[in-house]
Amino acid sequence: NCDKYEPLYFERTPYFGDEVRTDGFWYHVSYSQYDWMSDWMNLYFLYRDGTFLMASAPHTTDPNEVTIDSISHQGYDYNNQRHWGLFKVEDGILQRTEWFWPGPGSGKALLYNYVIINDTCIKREGEDEYYYFYPFEYKPDSTIARQWIP
């Protein structure tokens, strides 16, 4: 593997709060501007250990249609470091740090801030981008991320 990964912006710390929910996924609907490309949902699974898994649900904009199979085979690679990151919550802001990954040689650390509106809605700072919570029973296990994020 030739990718070089920068250190993330902060270290992993367990999340014990109740400002945001962790018993499902957070989603944002992305609408395609092209006829040949379908709309999809960006998904984030937050874990109490302070990690998150980034995934997507192609071909749907309805969280009721998301299944573990629809994301595990199309939207993410659970065994890939690039799909994992860290989050923390402080003073009404959810911070998320992850690695940039558009292609080989990537691995630059990125930091995003989200204003917590309530425990089921957050808004990315400086953007008109809202994420909503959806309860989901079948969260993938986060222990695999410890090989990249101690």
Side-chain angles (χ1 to χ4, degrees):
N1 186 348
C2 297
D3 294 340
K4 304 281 189 239
Y5 290 92
E6 294 179 358
L8 294 174
Y9 277 82
F10 48 84
E11 293 184 4
R12 184 174 66 83
T13 56
Y15 174 65
F16 297 112
D18 60 3
E19 298 93 342
V20 293
R21 294 188 50 186
T22 60
D23 56 332
F25 59 78
W26 290 82
Y27 70 94
H28 168 74
V29 176
S30 294
Y31 296 99
S32 175
Q33 57 185 331
Y34 306 105
D35 291 338
W36 53 268
M37 185 177 184
S38 68
D39 299 335
W40 71 95
M41 290 191 311
N42 297 312
L43 308 177
Y44 291 94
F45 293 90
L46 303 180
Y47 296 87
R48 290 280 177 189
D49 67 359
T51 60
F52 74 83
L53 174 63
M54 178 175 29
S56 65
H59 315 296
T60 186
T61 58
D62 183 351
N64 291 303
E65 295 177 2
V66 174
T67 67
I68 195 66
D69 288 334
S70 70
I71 61 171
S72 63
H73 297 294
Q74 299 175 43
Y76 79 98
D77 179 359
Y78 177 73
N79 294 304
N80 190 323
Q81 178 177 353
R82 295 174 179 172
H83 290 265
W84 293 94
L86 296 172
F87 81 96
K88 68 179 180 177
V89 174
E90 290 181 357
D91 301 323
I93 301 292
L94 181 144
Q95 287 191 314
R96 183 172 61 83
T97 182
E98 65 186 47
W99 292 284
F100 183 66
W101 56 279
S106 60
K108 179 177 176 51
L110 302 173
L111 180 68
Y112 300 97
N113 291 322
Y114 299 84
V115 175
I116 299 170
I117 295 170
N118 57 47
D119 70 345
T120 60
C121 182
I122 59 176
K123 180 185 181 297
R124 186 168 163 190
E125 275 189 349
E127 303 285 337
D128 189 26
E129 187 176 295
Y130 290 84
Y131 283 78
Y132 302 96
F133 179 79
Y134 187 79
F136 193 71
E137 183 178 347
Y138 305 104
K139 282 174 59 171
D141 183 33
S142 67
T143 56
I144 194 170
R146 292 187 185 144
Q147 65 185 304
W148 307 296
I149 306 171

